[in-house]
Amino acid sequence: MVIKRAFLTKFLLLALLVLQTGEVRADSRLESFVQDELQFGQGLGLPSITSFHGDSVDDMMNGVDAVVQAWYIDDTTEEDQRLPHHRQPDEPVPLAKLLDLGIVAVRLDADNHENDENLTIIRGQRGYMHMDIVTLTPEKMANYEAMIKRFFEEHLHTDEEVRYCLEGSGYFDVRDEEDRWIRVSVRKGGLIVVPAGIYHRFTLDTNNYIKAMRLFSGGPDWTAYNRPHDHLPARYLSSIDH
């Protein structure tokens, strides 16, 4: 148990350091843009590792690979975007690879999200002051097919994208450092942080249902910049050493 706890603590620390590295390396390009144009600068700070005590680390990392999984996809197919699109042979992507790209995943108690202390810790330390809950399903969206195609357009944001799956499931596709697509499957209980400036897209899977909490460091102003937008200061992925 001691060994396991030490491993999990190091894993979460690595996740936080990856976020910090991306922020530090982008700082010289982002500072004036954040101060002059954006109103979410308070959300860019790194959370203090001292707030993530042993039990919290165990809780957040225990079983994360059961709710967040990733693999390289076959992007040559024209089949339904909601299919898994595994390559043949399959090319799974470990969570450590996602960390290399600045993508952090944890597992929380979705059934107790209104009173979850771990969620409170994350929100407080990362400055996620605002949230809302959205439900995507054909029964609740008259233009469902059009909307999921819109979500599937490749884009980036100038702030982190934080999604916490409360029910159902969906796919986040992200580009790696060689511009290859990685598909990240997020199920109930999975929380994923996609850093600012990384090209990505979202789609539901064939279950056609997800209920998700969206967390924001500023107001919920989620302007999507469709590719190409490499000139934006937030577009720092290409500067990360691999």
Side-chain angles (χ1 to χ4, degrees):
M1 180 63 186
V2 173
I3 295 175
K4 177 182 177 183
R5 176 167 296 180
F7 173 78
L8 293 173
T9 301
K10 290 179 180 178
F11 187 89
L12 185 57
L13 177 59
L14 175 61
L16 296 174
L17 289 176
V18 167
L19 282 178
Q20 184 182 46
T21 300
E23 288 164 2
V24 169
R25 292 181 180 177
D27 184 67
S28 60
R29 286 173 288 167
L30 278 174
E31 183 175 0
S32 62
F33 183 70
V34 168
Q35 295 298 325
D36 298 339
E37 304 293 339
L38 302 178
Q39 302 301 316
F40 57 80
Q42 71 277 7
L44 295 176
L46 181 73
S48 171
I49 190 63
T50 59
S51 67
F52 293 87
H53 300 294
D55 289 342
S56 295
V57 172
D58 283 351
D59 289 344
M60 286 188 279
M61 300 310 303
N62 185 29
V64 64
D65 54 352
V67 295
V68 179
Q69 299 172 345
W71 57 88
Y72 281 105
I73 65 171
D74 177 8
D75 57 1
T76 64
T77 181
E78 296 183 359
E79 294 181 329
D80 191 329
Q81 67 192 50
R82 289 165 286 194
L83 294 172
H85 294 301
H86 287 284
R87 290 185 177 184
Q88 297 298 327
D90 189 22
E91 294 186 44
V93 175
L95 294 181
K97 174 63 178 180
L98 297 184
L99 288 175
D100 286 344
L101 300 175
I103 299 166
V104 176
V106 298
R107 182 175 187 172
L108 300 176
D109 184 1
D111 291 327
N112 188 40
H113 66 271
E114 294 181 352
N115 303 297
D116 187 353
E117 293 183 1
N118 289 332
L119 178 59
T120 300
I121 290 172
I122 291 173
R123 292 189 63 182
Q125 293 298 318
R126 293 280 322 154
Y128 301 143
M129 305 303 295
H130 304 277
M131 58 79 71
D132 63 13
I133 295 176
V134 295
T135 301
L136 304 179
T137 181
E139 290 73 23
K140 293 192 175 183
M141 299 176 64
N143 57 343
Y144 176 76
E145 293 293 335
M147 287 300 296
I148 64 170
K149 291 186 181 300
R150 178 182 174 186
F151 296 151
F152 203 57
E153 294 179 2
E154 185 175 0
H155 63 279
L156 60 79
H157 301 292
T158 54
D159 197 4
E160 296 174 346
E161 179 167 328
V162 189
R163 297 293 183 266
Y164 177 17
C165 182
L166 303 178
E167 297 176 4
S169 52
Y171 294 136
F172 291 86
D173 293 347
V174 298
R175 292 283 192 182
D176 74 357
E177 72 280 5
E178 297 180 4
D179 217 33
R180 298 176 296 176
W181 279 119
I182 295 175
R183 173 150 288 187
V184 183
S185 171
V186 181
R187 303 188 185 96
K188 178 180 178 179
L191 182 147
I192 184 172
V193 181
V194 178
I198 188 171
Y199 283 121
H200 65 284
R201 62 191 183 188
F202 171 78
T203 184
L204 281 89
D205 55 25
T206 53
N207 292 320
N208 290 303
Y209 175 72
I210 190 171
K211 180 178 180 181
M213 178 184 295
R214 305 187 299 180
L215 298 165
F216 309 94
S217 56
D221 179 16
W222 276 95
T223 302
Y225 297 93
N226 287 352
R227 191 169 187 174
H229 265 85
D230 292 342
H231 63 282
L232 289 179
R235 176 64 181 153
Y236 66 79
L237 181 60
S238 60
S239 70
I240 299 177
D241 296 327
H242 295 278

